[in-house]
Amino acid sequence: MDRTPEANRIAATKSSSISSSPAVQESPFSNFLSNLSPLNTATTASYTQTLLGTNLPTPPVVFTSPHINLQRETSFLERDDIVEAGSEVYKECNTNIVQIQNPSFEEVQLCSPSGCVDEYLADPVEVDSTWSADLRSQRTNEVPRLLHSGFAPGEESNTEVCDIMFGSPENEAVLLSDQAEKNLPLSSLEMSQAAINQRDGKKTEELSRFIFEKVKESDVNACLVSRAQNCGENAAKLHRAGCQYDEKNASSQSREDSNECKQRVQKGFVKEGGQNERGIRRHLQFEAAKAYKFTILGNSESPNSLTHDATNSRSPSILTNLKSLASSHFDNRASSSLQDVSCDTLQFPSSPYESFTSAQIGVNSTTSAPIHSVIGLHLNRISRSTSLSSDIFSSKKSIGYLSMPEQMLEHGSNNIATNSSSILTSAVSGKIYVHVASGQQESQAVTEANSFTFHSTDTMKPPCHSMLVDQETAPCEVGMSASQETDEVEELNQLSPKRKRRRDAYMSEGCKRCNCRRSKCLKLYCECFAAGVYCVDSCACVNCYNKPEFEDTVLDIRQQIEARNPLAFTPKVVDNAIDSSPNFTEEQDLTTPSSARHKRGCNCKKSKCLKRYCECFQAKVGCSSACRCEGCKNTFGVTPEPVYNRAKKWEAHPAEKLDNVKGAIACIKAPAFSSASSSNSAKIPQAQLPSSQLQPSGAHYDIPYDDTPEILEETSNPTKVVRASSPNQKRVSPPQSRSRLRERSPTGLRSGRKFILQAMPSFPPLTPHRNSKEGTNEIENDDK
DNA sequence: GAGTTTGAAACT
DNA sequence: CAGTTTCAAACTC
């Protein structure tokens, strides 16, 4: 492989350290590939037929990846999500990110060093961001050269989005079109093949070729044409809104940029990266550096460089986009400051793994497959990603994706106008990708996470709904309920001048700022570092090393931290609805919109989870059984347990237990006061409802006393109720363990709530009155 | 703005 | 693994 001197230098520098790393003996990614390689042509054909839904009478193909089970009856229902990149639609869809598929390497992450499967959340944002940033500076047709020769410093840092994706206007089609095939601006699948050949010695050449041909031949792309058009129109509206906003509010510089933005919109071009993208860029900076090194190191060794990293799953998507990242990701800051509007790019898998996995997604994209949403929420960001199987959306749901911008325009136009909106519909599963962001009021949650997955048209939440993680980072209120908006306003009004200033600075900056003084911004104390971004000039940190010029140091430190805690850089807040069990049913649909919960839970002692000291509160999620807080009064209530955690109901969070109790009471009272005894069974599910379904969030502590809880609680707890306010004050087992428990017995957990009913006396005995919230404490006193 | 409080992260 | 220290954000005055 030809390498630039710089590439060789970095490769030499990093190879030693990486090779000596004990934690990265074997990359999940390489495992994944190695497990793909045994596929022979016949299997490949079968598999491809299966995934492409050709309905050939081939048996399900066992795709022997240890992490990806493709043995599913499936048809290529996700074909709707494949867009013919070279189509006219794409030429017109300048403002949309249309990503066929990033590899859903969350599955690969299953073998992260931590062994943490369920809790770990990929950050598709980084993928997206990487893509986004990368694509700006790299034309697709550069990929082959990059793949084969390492990367020279990039020159094209501001390539237009559509140029990037489809080639310049004179070099348009890229992917999955006949034209692409002929002109060879290297479609993703071709890139796939090229890279696969390089890496695996053409082991999967046949597969790649077959998939490519099949996809090309497929007519499924046509159906997305109209969607893409809508996407483009809506995005353009949003962009214009953003430009208007900028014109109205921004500085003269921004105004100029706005004008330019407008011009570009009018021309059908969109500038990359606005203020709001700064966060994105910053966020991907680490990844870019890694990716750069990954590539430079070469295929044989590079995977290890990412193995330990939480982002290893993104490496494939990064693979072909490295040059520009490496060369430009540090000067993004400057460039982004001049850019008001982030418009969408069309993203396509360009790495072999990406393409290949895209196909896999297709396989998994069956309507029967449950949606396993994984929402990762940093405190300062939210990222939704989907597992391999969670990337599955029915075509119906895909429609929801595409309709989102429109919905937002319809329902949140005011907010869009007054608050920048940033909408990024996760393309992890190859969905139409819409990222509209503008102006200075971006959401940090968006800019740094910027990846969302919306599950369905029916239950789809505004993309920012769950993004309002940080009151300082929540400008994206599109689609918020009136009450939410009111809350936000009140919250703003209640801010002290200082905090307002800070918030303003934050908002204007559009990214997290730190004030570290002693940590050199190289510890998790540093919010920037913890968020995986470099500090920016506006940070007030002292002796900061979290800067691009200390890239190696940053990465080394990061590696060390991840070696200590592989999840250190993963989102702290996750969605409950990550259950991947086949029992995914209505229950997840019943979870609250903010079904997210803090992954590790808080440990608050004095703040009662009522202040932002509490990470749950800060993330605006309810405390869960993962928390070990004392005297929890989290106004966001109690986050319902994930399905797979319901066995832990024995020691559920007190407030949640109360909800369980009330549900059970309802069941009891139903037969008692109704002649329709048969309704009893119908009532049971109510007890199984997530607590938030029984009580609105925040109302948990206002529940009037009911004299049945205690007996219910005690009856339902085979083990003594933990005396603390939080059941996990003395954590029995780490969340990982519970996750594994779920894996072993995914179905037997809901009995926890049923057990409440089954073990409940026909008529609850009289028990001493006690406050529902402080009940455990009173019990404690009684014991004394 | 300075000082205090808080809880996560880091350390022992 | 528990206890302690360090740290920076959140908060108060």
Side-chain angles (χ1 to χ4, degrees):
Chain A
M1 173 187 289
D2 295 332
R3 288 175 177 168
T4 65
E6 177 67 7
N8 285 324
R9 185 190 67 79
I10 298 178
T13 301
K14 297 301 296 181
S15 61
S16 58
S17 62
I18 289 172
S19 60
S20 62
S21 173
V24 292
Q25 294 300 316
E26 193 170 19
S27 163
F29 185 49
S30 61
N31 285 340
F32 171 77
L33 292 172
S34 64
N35 281 296
L36 297 182
S37 59
L39 286 170
N40 56 30
T41 302
T43 303
T44 299
S46 300
Y47 164 69
T48 309
Q49 289 164 0
T50 301
L51 68 89
L52 291 179
T54 50
N55 297 325
L56 296 179
T58 54
V61 175
V62 179
F63 208 72
T64 57
S65 167
H67 312 299
I68 301 173
N69 178 16
L70 296 176
Q71 193 173 16
R72 298 190 181 188
E73 296 178 2
T74 179
S75 59
F76 193 50
L77 297 179
E78 282 304 291
R79 53 179 53 185
D80 282 357
D81 298 314
I82 297 178
V83 180
E84 190 171 15
S87 66
E88 290 300 320
V89 171
Y90 270 70
K91 298 173 188 175
E92 297 173 5
C93 188
N94 293 307
T95 58
N96 295 301
I97 296 172
V98 179
Q99 181 174 358
I100 291 294
Q101 178 56 55
N102 277 327
S104 180
F105 271 79
E106 288 88 345
E107 292 289 341
V108 177
Q109 292 170 344
L110 296 184
C111 58
S112 63
S114 68
C116 299
V117 174
D118 303 298
E119 296 297 330
Y120 180 79
L121 296 171
D123 195 346
V125 167
E126 297 181 3
V127 176
D128 303 337
S129 301
T130 303
W131 271 94
S132 179
D134 177 43
L135 291 172
R136 294 185 189 104
S137 57
Q138 178 184 330
R139 294 174 186 273
T140 353
N141 57 11
E142 292 178 295
V143 171
R145 176 167 58 87
L146 300 180
L147 285 172
H148 291 282
S149 62
F151 301 97
E155 305 89 7
E156 303 173 60
S157 60
N158 284 313
T159 305
E160 294 295 346
V161 166
C162 284
D163 289 358
I164 295 165
M165 292 314 304
F166 310 122
S168 58
E170 61 276 7
N171 183 20
E172 297 166 285
V174 174
L175 176 68
L176 299 182
S177 70
D178 293 337
Q179 187 176 353
E181 183 183 26
K182 294 173 183 175
N183 296 337
L184 192 62
L186 197 64
S187 72
S188 65
L189 286 168
E190 289 167 326
M191 290 185 281
S192 166
Q193 184 167 329
I196 287 175
N197 292 344
Q198 182 181 8
R199 174 188 277 263
D200 296 332
K202 299 187 178 182
K203 287 177 181 177
T204 56
E205 176 180 2
E206 289 299 320
L207 174 60
S208 176
R209 183 180 58 80
F210 194 93
I211 293 172
F212 175 73
E213 292 176 357
K214 281 294 181 183
V215 173
K216 182 184 67 179
E217 294 169 2
S218 175
D219 61 350
V220 299
N221 301 322
C223 65
L224 277 190
V225 166
S226 60
R227 296 182 185 178
Q229 289 172 333
N230 291 336
C231 181
E233 293 170 1
N234 292 328
K237 293 177 184 176
L238 291 171
H239 290 313
R240 284 191 285 272
C243 289
Q244 290 165 4
Y245 170 79
D246 290 336
E247 274 192 335
K248 184 177 180 180
N249 300 285
S251 63
S252 58
Q253 176 62 57
S254 298
R255 197 170 296 119
E256 294 175 4
D257 297 334
S258 298
N259 292 332
E260 184 179 352
C261 164
K262 179 180 293 183
Q263 294 170 4
R264 286 179 170 273
V265 169
Q266 291 170 350
K267 291 190 300 182
F269 290 100
V270 181
K271 276 180 84 173
E272 61 142 325
Q275 284 277 354
N276 55 341
E277 274 209 337
R278 179 177 296 182
I280 295 174
R281 291 175 162 184
R282 292 176 61 203
H283 186 62
L284 64 86
Q285 285 165 342
F286 291 175
E287 310 309 323
K290 278 186 177 179
Y292 180 57
K293 294 179 178 181
F294 172 89
T295 301
I296 291 173
L297 285 170
N299 291 334
S300 61
E301 56 186 351
S302 55
N304 284 347
S305 68
L306 298 176
T307 301
H308 70 288
D309 190 277
T311 64
N312 57 0
S313 68
R314 272 92 68 189
S315 58
S317 66
I318 296 169
L319 181 60
T320 60
N321 302 292
L322 308 177
K323 182 191 76 173
S324 62
L325 284 176
S327 61
S328 67
H329 69 280
F330 295 140
D331 58 14
N332 284 335
R333 208 176 302 164
S335 61
S336 65
S337 65
L338 301 176
Q339 295 159 338
D340 297 308
V341 176
S342 164
C343 295
D344 305 322
T345 60
L346 292 166
Q347 297 185 344
F348 296 96
S350 58
S351 77
Y353 321 110
E354 238 174 354
S355 296
F356 192 79
T357 311
S358 300
Q360 292 174 326
I361 298 303
V363 172
N364 283 318
S365 298
T366 66
T367 53
S368 62
I371 298 172
H372 317 302
S373 70
V374 178
I375 304 176
L377 311 173
H378 263 278
L379 291 181
N380 59 350
R381 64 178 179 170
I382 292 178
S383 63
R384 286 194 180 209
S385 66
T386 54
S387 66
L388 179 63
S389 55
S390 72
D391 293 332
I392 301 157
F393 292 82
S394 66
S395 56
K396 175 181 177 181
K397 289 171 180 175
S398 296
I399 294 173
Y401 271 65
L402 292 172
S403 62
M404 177 57 66
E406 187 168 1
Q407 292 180 6
M408 296 184 67
L409 284 171
E410 292 175 354
H411 300 294
S413 57
N414 292 336
N415 287 324
I416 291 174
T418 57
N419 304 286
S420 69
S421 63
S422 186
I423 310 158
L424 195 71
T425 310
S426 175
V428 174
S429 58
K431 306 305 177 294
I432 295 297
Y433 216 101
V434 179
H435 178 199
V436 179
S438 66
Q440 299 179 346
Q441 294 187 359
E442 64 162 339
S443 166
Q444 172 85 10
V446 175
T447 58
E448 292 191 354
N450 58 64
S451 182
F452 291 84
T453 300
F454 305 103
H455 297 170
S456 72
T457 54
D458 297 333
T459 61
M460 186 165 19
K461 309 296 185 301
C464 300
H465 178 88
S466 58
M467 292 163 45
L468 303 177
V469 172
D470 189 320
Q471 65 188 38
E472 294 185 358
T473 66
C476 186
E477 294 155 344
V478 176
M480 285 178 68
S481 65
S483 60
Q484 285 176 309
E485 294 185 44
T486 302
D487 291 343
E488 290 293 318
V489 171
E490 290 177 354
E491 208 170 35
L492 271 173
N493 292 336
Q494 292 171 357
L495 289 178
S496 65
K498 179 181 178 180
R499 294 197 66 208
K500 284 182 178 178
R501 285 195 300 272
R502 177 179 171 84
R503 179 192 173 95
D504 291 343
Y506 185 98
M507 301 290 277
S508 62
E509 185 59 28
C511 55
K512 190 73 84 173
R513 296 193 308 168
C514 69
N515 299 294
C516 306
R517 297 187 176 278
R518 311 188 73 164
S519 66
K520 300 178 181 179
C521 297
L522 289 178
K523 294 188 177 182
L524 292 174
Y525 297 128
C526 174
E527 290 192 4
C528 299
F529 181 78
V533 301
Y534 289 116
C535 292
V536 294
D537 293 340
S538 57
C539 288
C541 45
V542 176
N543 196 21
C544 176
Y545 279 78
N546 186 28
K547 293 180 177 178
E549 52 263 40
F550 301 108
E551 171 188 317
D552 288 342
T553 300
V554 170
L555 293 178
D556 287 344
I557 297 296
R558 184 180 165 118
Q559 287 179 8
Q560 292 173 16
I561 293 173
E562 286 182 330
R564 200 164 53 221
N565 175 17
L567 304 180
F569 293 95
T570 62
K572 292 181 178 180
V573 179
V574 301
D575 189 4
N576 273 350
I578 57 175
D579 175 67
S580 60
S581 73
N583 293 324
F584 175 90
T585 56
E586 74 287 349
E587 285 196 60
Q588 290 188 359
D589 293 335
L590 298 176
T591 56
T592 59
S594 58
S595 60
R597 63 189 174 87
H598 197 276
K599 183 167 57 182
R600 292 175 47 189
C602 65
N603 192 32
C604 303
K605 297 291 191 297
K606 297 180 179 179
S607 68
K608 300 182 192 311
C609 304
L610 285 173
K611 297 187 177 183
R612 300 190 75 206
Y613 297 127
C614 172
E615 292 196 349
C616 296
F617 182 88
Q618 191 172 28
K620 297 192 174 184
V621 300
C623 288
S624 69
S625 59
C627 298
R628 291 139 290 165
C629 45
E630 295 177 356
C632 176
K633 293 182 179 179
N634 189 328
T635 55
F636 296 100
V638 178
T639 298
E641 280 289 296
V643 172
Y644 62 83
N645 268 349
R646 297 240 166 104
K648 208 169 179 296
K649 279 300 145 209
W650 314 127
E651 45 184 286
H653 195 281
E656 189 173 7
K657 283 192 290 186
L658 180 59
D659 285 338
N660 296 340
V661 165
K662 293 185 74 65
I665 292 169
C667 298
I668 298 169
K669 290 180 178 178
F673 296 102
S674 171
S675 59
S677 59
S678 61
S679 64
N680 189 25
S681 59
K683 294 285 182 180
I684 291 176
Q686 182 178 357
Q688 296 173 326
L689 285 173
S691 59
S692 57
Q693 298 300 309
L694 300 173
Q695 295 292 335
S697 179
H700 299 290
Y701 312 112
D702 298 326
I703 299 170
Y705 164 75
D706 193 307
D707 59 356
T708 51
E710 187 171 16
I711 183 66
L712 290 172
E713 288 180 0
E714 294 191 346
T715 305
S716 63
N717 287 326
T719 56
K720 200 73 175 180
V721 174
V722 176
R723 299 300 185 195
S725 296
S726 177
N728 266 4
Q729 188 176 27
K730 297 296 183 183
R731 185 177 291 181
V732 177
S733 60
Q736 302 172 22
S737 301
R738 285 184 274 125
S739 299
R740 294 195 178 110
L741 175 64
R742 187 256 306 191
E743 289 181 46
R744 293 189 205 100
S745 180
T747 60
L749 305 181
R750 293 176 188 166
S751 60
R753 291 192 175 186
K754 289 182 179 178
F755 183 83
I756 294 174
L757 297 172
Q758 291 165 354
M760 187 167 54
S762 300
F763 297 96
L766 295 175
T767 55
H769 175 91
R770 63 185 178 91
N771 179 280
S772 59
K773 173 59 184 176
E774 304 297 335
T776 54
N777 294 335
E778 295 188 15
I779 289 176
E780 198 167 25
N781 294 334
D782 292 344
D783 289 343
K784 290 176 183 176

